[in-house]
Amino acid sequence: MDPHLLRTYVSVARLASFSEAARELGYTQSAVSQHIAALEQDLGAPLLTRRPVVPTAAGERLLEHAGPLLLRLEAARADVVRMAAAPAHGLTLAATPTALGPRTLAALPAAGVTLRTLARDEIPAAVATGAADLGLVDGLAAPSDPLRLPDVAPLTTRGVGEEPVCVLLPAGHPLARRPGLRLADLVDARWLDAPGAGLPLDRLRTASGTGGVRTALRYEGTDLRTLTTLAAAGHGLTVLPHGFAADVPGAVAVPLVAPRLVHRTELVYGGKPGGAAGALVRELTGPGATEGPR
């Protein structure tokens, strides 16, 4: 299967238009039509209806395969280019907001850094395809357990830190004076779902064993201050690393004691980083850091 034809097909299916796909890809509309016809002939199945432009059942199945296939091709190209290229003087770091703790920020080079805030599931792909030199991902895990990351390419992960987590409550909340909280204490609580700023609720739902973590408000931004302000104002509870939950005006951070979960941060990279990326890897990893291929 020709990857050029597959990329054309993905663009047409996503845009639901041959002409829009031609404009995006820089082809003529006739060339796009020829690409789709050639791919359909190769696979022996119609992939798109023409009016409207909608994937057939076979086309939908091909789309399920297309994303991972094209990503793997991009990752392979980036991996080879990375091996052949001289170490870059600058550094592009993709990270989630709560992965950027004081230790990480202190270790960053004084100049030449580009910091990209991305969703957790996007960071491995950004590193694999060369859009970022390094990635920092975080999440909730049992102590010493690795995070569950998307399998997009052969990448290396190293644990760079674990810390306790707290439930952030409004100062006037009935449970705010507790020395610790169990998830079972919060079965009727209303939660903030903030996948881009806080720690993901799906891990809490899994840990509860009941799925009873109820979303009151969904925040789709990446600003931690907005998230903590929403919690302090009573719009819902959130779980944050201890270092980010402490000293929030109008809120109280109470340790989550059961189930036993920690905030874990992992460094993600491909190959053997050199230059500024290699220096940061060495700075953040040390005795006791866990490493393994992904």
Side-chain angles (χ1 to χ4, degrees):
M1 189 187 307
D2 188 330
H4 296 292
L5 304 184
L6 188 58
R7 287 191 181 92
T8 300
Y9 169 68
V10 169
S11 294
V12 174
R14 175 170 51 84
L15 296 170
S17 168
F18 281 72
S19 59
E20 290 295 324
R23 188 174 297 111
E24 179 179 86
L25 296 170
Y27 298 149
T28 64
Q29 185 170 337
S30 174
V32 168
S33 296
Q34 290 173 13
H35 284 192
I36 299 302
L39 186 59
E40 289 178 325
Q41 183 176 7
D42 180 31
L43 296 176
L47 301 174
L48 295 164
T49 61
R50 268 39 177 190
R51 293 185 181 179
V53 178
V54 177
T56 62
E60 290 285 2
R61 182 57 60 87
L62 180 59
L63 284 174
E64 294 176 10
H65 292 285
L69 285 171
L70 294 175
L71 179 58
R72 282 280 181 168
L73 286 172
E74 289 182 40
R77 182 181 186 281
D79 209 16
V80 173
V81 169
R82 188 186 296 120
M83 291 181 66
H89 294 292
L91 166 67
T92 299
L93 174 66
T96 52
T98 45
L100 295 169
R103 177 169 170 253
T104 299
L105 295 176
L108 292 177
V113 178
T114 299
L115 182 61
R116 299 180 61 197
T117 301
L118 296 177
R120 287 171 181 82
D121 288 348
E122 294 174 355
I123 290 174
V127 174
T129 59
D133 300 305
L134 301 173
L136 274 173
V137 293
D138 68 338
L140 292 170
S144 300
D145 275 3
L147 298 176
R148 300 168 185 172
L149 302 180
D151 180 18
V152 297
L155 296 174
T156 297
T157 63
R158 298 193 69 169
V160 296
E162 291 185 356
E163 65 175 314
V165 294
C166 295
V167 181
L168 194 65
L169 310 125
H173 195 281
L175 301 177
R177 295 183 181 275
R178 293 276 190 94
L181 287 171
R182 301 171 302 161
L183 200 53
D185 299 329
L186 305 169
V187 289
D188 297 321
R190 300 163 68 248
W191 291 86
L192 293 168
D193 186 12
L199 298 177
L201 285 187
D202 57 352
R203 186 68 178 88
L204 279 185
R205 291 190 177 100
T206 301
S208 73
T210 64
V213 176
R214 186 163 48 104
T215 299
L217 184 149
R218 181 177 173 85
Y219 170 56
E220 296 187 348
T222 59
D223 182 54
L224 272 169
R225 181 174 295 182
T226 299
L227 175 60
T228 57
T229 300
L230 287 168
H235 290 289
L237 310 183
T238 188
V239 172
L240 288 173
H242 176 268
F244 289 95
D247 302 322
V248 174
V252 175
V254 181
L256 182 67
V257 295
R260 193 176 173 211
L261 296 172
V262 296
H263 170 245
R264 179 176 173 85
T265 304
E266 294 183 358
L267 191 62
V268 181
Y269 55 91
K272 295 183 178 180
L280 184 59
V281 170
R282 291 189 293 273
E283 182 72 21
L284 292 180
T285 57
T290 57
E291 180 175 4
R294 288 285 177 97

